[in-house]
């Protein structure tokens, strides 16, 4: 059910709270843990980079290089990814064991992903690196945006890369909501997810776009309705109870901020 003007105590509550858009990652975080979402988007507290995050970013950069230029040696793409990981982790307080565990996953992940994705040809890349998309959601006063990893307009295909610890056989609900936003932006395009692990890359086709787009819309509507209850972030935070067992709270910085904001 769409949110109407009568549902909202505040006109465009997103902008009052300094939010210009939503995305799959922000909506998925709200679903998983609204208190952590509030810290990120209302209090602007950024989660520090951890080894798993750095491994994912570095691996994706290495894969993109190998998919963009099929003549480039895979070994060079691996070196690029490792160098980026090392730069991001240079000043990290995380233990060396955690860093090395994630670093060891990069070579296999990048290699397997490039080999698999080169089968699809060469995607198009804008000057900025990724294609930005933006859609309107029914009853939501800000757009939903996203960035495409690999876009093949001649084939009507979009592939999103996910680096994982082990291969999977199903698209997660969170990823499916992301795919639905992409599909809404590019009608008649097929959405696939490439799950890249150190041992293999599995490419899965999304089949549930309409249902997932409806989920995205309802989540955004309800989040908007909650935001509209007050222009004061402290008042909104006072309605929340954090669960620090979630991985979203793995950082000591986030847990300390949570206890400061929520009082528990």
């Amino acid at each position: 059910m769409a949110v109407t003007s009568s549902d909202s105590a505040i006109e465009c509550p997103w902008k009052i709270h300094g939010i210009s858009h939503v995305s799959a990652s922000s909506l998925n975080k709200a679903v998983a843990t609204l208190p952590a979402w509030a810290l990120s988007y209302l209090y602007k507290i950024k989660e520090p980079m951890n080894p798993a995050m750095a491994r994912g970013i570095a691996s994706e950069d290495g894969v993109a290089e190998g998919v963009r230029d099929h003549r480039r040696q895979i070994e060079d793409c691996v070196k690029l990814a490792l160098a980026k990981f090392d730069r991001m982790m240079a000043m990290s307080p995380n233990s060396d064991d955690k860093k090395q565990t994630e670093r060891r996953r990069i070579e296999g992940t990048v290699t397997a992903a490039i080999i698999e994705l080169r089968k699809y040809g060469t995607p198009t890349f804008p000057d900025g690196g990724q294609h930005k998309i933006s859609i309107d959601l029914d009853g939501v006063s800000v757009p939903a945006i996203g960035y495409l990893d690999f876009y093949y307009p001649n084939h009507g295909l979009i592939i999103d890369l996910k680096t994982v610890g082990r291969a999977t056989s199903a698209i997660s609900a969170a990823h499916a909501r992301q795919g639905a936003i992409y599909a809404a932006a590019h009608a008649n395009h097929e959405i696939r997810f490439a799950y890249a692990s150190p041992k293999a890359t599995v490419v899965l086709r999304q089949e549930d776009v309409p249902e997932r787009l409806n989920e995205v819309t309802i989540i955004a509507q309800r989040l908007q309705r909650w935001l509209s209850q007050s222009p004061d972030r402290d008042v909104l935070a006072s309605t929340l109870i954090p669960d620090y067992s979630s991985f979203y709270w793995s950082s000591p910085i986030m847990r300390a901020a949570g206890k400061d904001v929520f009082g528990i």
Side-chain angles (χ1 to χ4, degrees):
M1 175 179 164
V3 175
T4 64
S5 58
S6 60
D7 293 319
S8 299
I10 300 171
E11 185 176 354
C12 198
W14 305 96
K15 293 184 179 178
I16 286 177
H17 290 287
I19 301 169
S20 61
H21 61 268
V22 296
S23 65
S25 61
S26 71
L27 295 177
N28 285 331
K29 189 170 191 175
V31 170
T33 167
L34 189 54
W37 183 93
L39 283 191
S40 296
Y41 294 94
L42 299 184
Y43 290 86
K44 314 303 181 186
I45 297 172
K46 291 186 177 181
E47 183 177 357
M49 182 68 65
N50 62 51
M53 293 165 61
R55 181 257 304 157
I57 294 169
S59 296
E60 289 174 8
D61 278 9
V63 173
E65 285 299 314
V67 174
R68 179 185 286 109
D69 182 0
H70 289 205
R71 297 167 300 178
R72 187 156 189 177
Q73 295 295 313
I74 292 178
E75 292 80 2
D76 291 340
C77 299
V78 170
K79 289 178 181 178
L80 181 150
L82 290 171
K84 179 154 190 174
F85 178 87
D86 291 341
R87 289 194 301 272
M88 288 190 290
M89 288 288 97
M91 302 299 291
S92 170
N94 290 274
S95 71
D96 288 341
D97 285 347
K98 289 182 179 180
K99 294 177 188 177
Q100 289 305 312
T101 295
E102 296 299 341
R103 194 180 193 278
R104 284 192 292 269
R105 293 174 173 171
I106 292 175
E107 180 176 1
T109 298
V110 172
T111 300
I114 291 175
I115 290 173
E116 180 63 31
L117 292 174
R118 279 180 173 174
K119 298 175 183 177
Y120 293 86
T122 304
T124 64
F125 289 94
D127 292 338
Q130 289 181 302
H131 293 273
K132 180 180 179 179
I133 59 97
S134 178
I135 66 169
D136 293 324
L137 298 171
D138 183 33
V140 180
S141 56
V142 292
I145 71 165
Y147 295 87
L148 308 182
D149 285 341
F150 304 119
Y151 178 42
Y152 304 85
N154 292 336
H155 303 297
L157 177 64
I158 294 167
I159 299 179
D160 193 78
L161 176 64
K162 301 296 183 187
T163 61
V164 293
R166 62 186 61 152
T168 183
S169 60
I171 298 171
S172 71
H175 295 163
R177 288 190 282 265
Q178 179 183 6
I181 293 174
Y182 294 167
H186 288 279
N188 302 318
H189 280 61
E190 184 175 291
I191 308 300
R192 299 186 189 184
F193 287 89
Y195 288 95
S197 72
K199 293 185 177 180
T201 294
V202 177
V203 180
L204 303 176
R205 178 186 303 173
Q206 184 169 355
E207 305 285 358
D208 58 352
V209 166
E211 300 92 329
R212 296 303 184 177
L213 185 61
N214 185 56
E215 281 183 21
V216 168
T217 302
I218 291 173
I219 292 164
Q221 289 174 347
R222 292 183 180 178
L223 190 54
Q224 176 174 282
R225 187 173 296 170
W226 176 70
L227 289 172
S228 74
Q229 299 309 302
S230 176
D232 187 333
R233 65 186 183 179
D234 292 334
V235 171
L236 294 174
S238 71
T239 68
L240 304 177
I241 303 172
D243 174 9
Y244 295 114
S245 66
S246 165
F247 78 90
Y248 283 104
W249 299 99
S250 59
S251 163
I253 292 175
M254 294 299 286
R255 291 197 301 274
K259 290 181 180 180
D260 181 56
V261 169
F262 302 112
I264 56 173

